[in-house]
Amino acid sequence: MTSPARIADDAARSAWRLAAYVALALGAAWGAWQLAFLCDDAYIHFRYASNLYEGRGIVWNDAPFAPVEGAGFLWVIVLAAIWGLTGVAPPDAANPFSLGCGLAQFALLAFAADRLRDRDGRRLPAVVGLAALLAVAGNRTVLQWWSGGLDTPLANVFGVWWALHAFRAAGAPTARWLAVWSLAAALGALTRPDGLPAVAATAAVGGWCWLCGRLALRAVLAGLSPLLLVVALTVWRQIYYGDWLPNTYYAKVVSSWPDAGWRYLGCFALENGAWLWPLVALPWLAAALRRGPAPALRALLAHAPATAAVGVVGFNAAYYCFKVGGDHFEYRVLSQLATLGTLAVVAMAARLGRGLALPLATAGALLLAGGAGWFHLACTSASRAEGIAAVTPRAPAIVRPLTRWFDRQQIWLFLRFIGLRCNHHAARLQSIAPRFPARVRHPDAATSLPIRAESAVGLPGWMLPDVALIDVYGLNDWVVARTPVRPHADVDPAVVAKAVRDSDHDGDGWLAKEELRDALAIVFGMRPDELYGMFLLRLFWSIYRDDGSERVTLAEAAQIGGTISFARRMAHARMPPPGYVEAFEPNVDVGPDGAVLVQPRATPMTAARIRAIEAEWRDKVRTGQLPR
């Protein structure tokens, strides 16, 4: 019988542990709020939510335009529901709700961290879980994506929930456990298509449990029933939009781009301390294989849900990095990996040794290594308009060979619109905002059908809710999203080499800043005086001359020129086919003071004309007859 003193002691320890978790959660929330931002793309979701809230449906442009899906389904539902229930519009509701999603992720992680065990299966003291959570809460990428206005925080809640729940299938899984797992997978897939691999893995594990006799067929079918939500959404998507996948998939995925993906992943690893993960994971794997491959295979099959979860998280990261080439936003698609990977590495360290030393040291090392992300933020926070600056001049001399590599990869990615920093996106939104100072309604839009073509469509889409917007990059346009990418030759190395040689005016084998300016002007096709004031020249110079010297070698200058690319840019590769935008006769202008001017057309635009134009161009896409 437990003594009253023991009960009181246990209660006191539980209270202190809970207080520590709450304090850590509040600290993480404060840090995330300091990083909070909104981006132009968030307003794409806000426009969809606005149309749903006003009864137009989940559409980008109201009828007579055909529906197009360019925003996360469940995120749009949530934003519209908050608006309807509280009266708080999406721009004001998105970040507070996203912060709540971040805290929900933290609660899930705390629940898992509190149950970490060593290699003998004994539950570890709470200090290990707290250390793991501190490493997560100290990770800039994790906190950065507790905001933004996009569907990422909501998707990460379900992704983290699904992955962690997979490890709770100890012994024989039950129908109830499978139903919870299926619900997490289904909600993730309703938020973002990234959740579809989890749905497939959940269904596969459920089938495996039935084949192995671990669950009866009726229990499996009951447990997998939440996946019917995904089936229903897929069928509805096909009926409503005419597609099996969101329009953004067709707009963004062009062809495999591993050359970009390994740079994106390498920079992520450096900033988030993920380069430490293999130092723990490989010994853990070696220990697991020590008894031979057959027992290891049996262990994987015995823990099929956990195996599936690891596979799905790895698959999604690899797909985005090496198929898509990364992402337009900094580490957005790897933010879930940063969260789960940090906890997983501490858990593996706990399994490798007895006692607290190894897991605590691992958590501390991860926290320290993740400081690289905060160091990068400190170096670039003043460069809001570009979101990029050289970190090497401020780095200790001992790490400068590594930071030079990092700086050069960053500018390579930046010029291809990959991994653009959140302060860049925030500054970009601020630069657009003065052109659209107020949300303007057009009561006669249903009859006059005002139309405008835009590239950065988010904020204009929200501020002009009654104007049909043609998205020239295709995220919200069916035709542009399926228009073949026009071939653009990248910068020819021979052209770069010749420009470098021709700019070496004194023939000394070096280029001073003015000579580098002339060489870059040739490569960019600009006049030297146009380029001289550009931040790119300053940026190139700071990255390649971080030691303070006043010249670069011809070889370094050729490297700089080779970094420039006109061939491919993330999420900006698709362009309208000739004549497509013109067919809609755009007639809305926005003056420098934000005044919206609707020009009358010689021939009024009608609903029948719009439907005919869309039908004509969609038929050209399907038959391969687009003009080039």
Side-chain angles (χ1 to χ4, degrees), residues 150 176 198 218 261 325 407 428 571 584 589 599 605 611 617:
L150 302 172
R176 181 177 179 180
R218 179 178 295 182
D407 283 336
R428 173 65 175 156
F584 291 101
D589 293 321
Q599 305 292 339
M605 182 62 68
R611 285 191 286 267
W617 283 92

Side-chain angles (χ1 to χ4, degrees), residues 222-422:
L224 294 179
S225 60
L227 299 186
L228 293 175
L229 291 170
V230 182
V231 176
L233 175 64
T234 304
V235 172
W236 174 81
R237 177 182 284 137
Q238 175 59 225
I239 294 172
Y240 192 69
Y241 297 111
D243 289 307
W244 295 110
L245 291 171
N247 192 70
T248 48
Y249 168 81
Y250 302 97
K252 289 182 177 181
V253 180
V254 178
S255 60
S256 297
W257 203 359
D259 196 33
W262 76 261
R263 289 178 165 90
Y264 183 79
L265 183 61
C267 291
F268 166 83
L270 185 59
E271 283 190 59
N272 291 273
W275 57 272
L276 285 172
W277 297 359
L279 301 182
V280 177
L282 291 178
W284 176 87
L285 183 61
L289 293 173
R290 187 169 49 195
R291 290 182 294 174
L297 179 59
R298 286 195 295 270
L300 289 176
L301 295 178
H303 300 85
T307 303
V310 173
V312 166
V313 173
F315 171 81
N316 280 342
Y319 180 85
Y320 268 106
C321 287
F322 302 113
K323 172 62 178 177
V324 182
D327 186 57
H328 187 52
F329 293 87
E330 62 167 294
Y331 313 137
R332 176 180 63 140
V333 297
L334 300 179
S335 57
Q336 190 179 126
L337 179 64
T339 302
L340 293 170
T342 301
L343 181 63
V345 170
V346 176
M348 285 187 283
R351 292 283 182 159
L352 279 173
R354 293 185 177 90
L356 305 181
L358 186 58
L360 290 178
T362 300
L366 290 171
L367 181 63
L368 184 62
W374 297 105
F375 176 71
H376 176 271
L377 179 64
C379 293
T380 60
S381 58
S383 182
R384 292 186 56 81
E386 297 86 23
I388 184 172
V391 303
T392 300
R394 298 174 64 177
I398 192 172
V399 298
R400 285 192 174 185
L402 186 59
T403 58
R404 287 190 184 99
W405 174 87
F406 174 82
D407 283 336
R408 295 181 187 194
Q409 305 319 308
Q410 284 292 291
I411 195 168
W412 191 97
L413 293 168
F414 177 81
L415 292 174
R416 289 154 182 82
F417 294 0
I418 301 173
L420 299 188
R421 299 295 175 163
C422 294

Side-chain angles (χ1 to χ4, degrees), residues 134-167:
L134 182 60
V136 173
N139 184 289
R140 177 193 164 195
T141 294
V142 171
L143 298 187
Q144 183 69 78
W145 289 107
W146 285 16
S147 67
L150 302 172
D151 50 13
T152 306
L154 183 63
N156 283 351
V157 170
F158 300 130
V160 168
W161 178 22
W162 180 82
L164 294 179
H165 191 68
F167 287 83

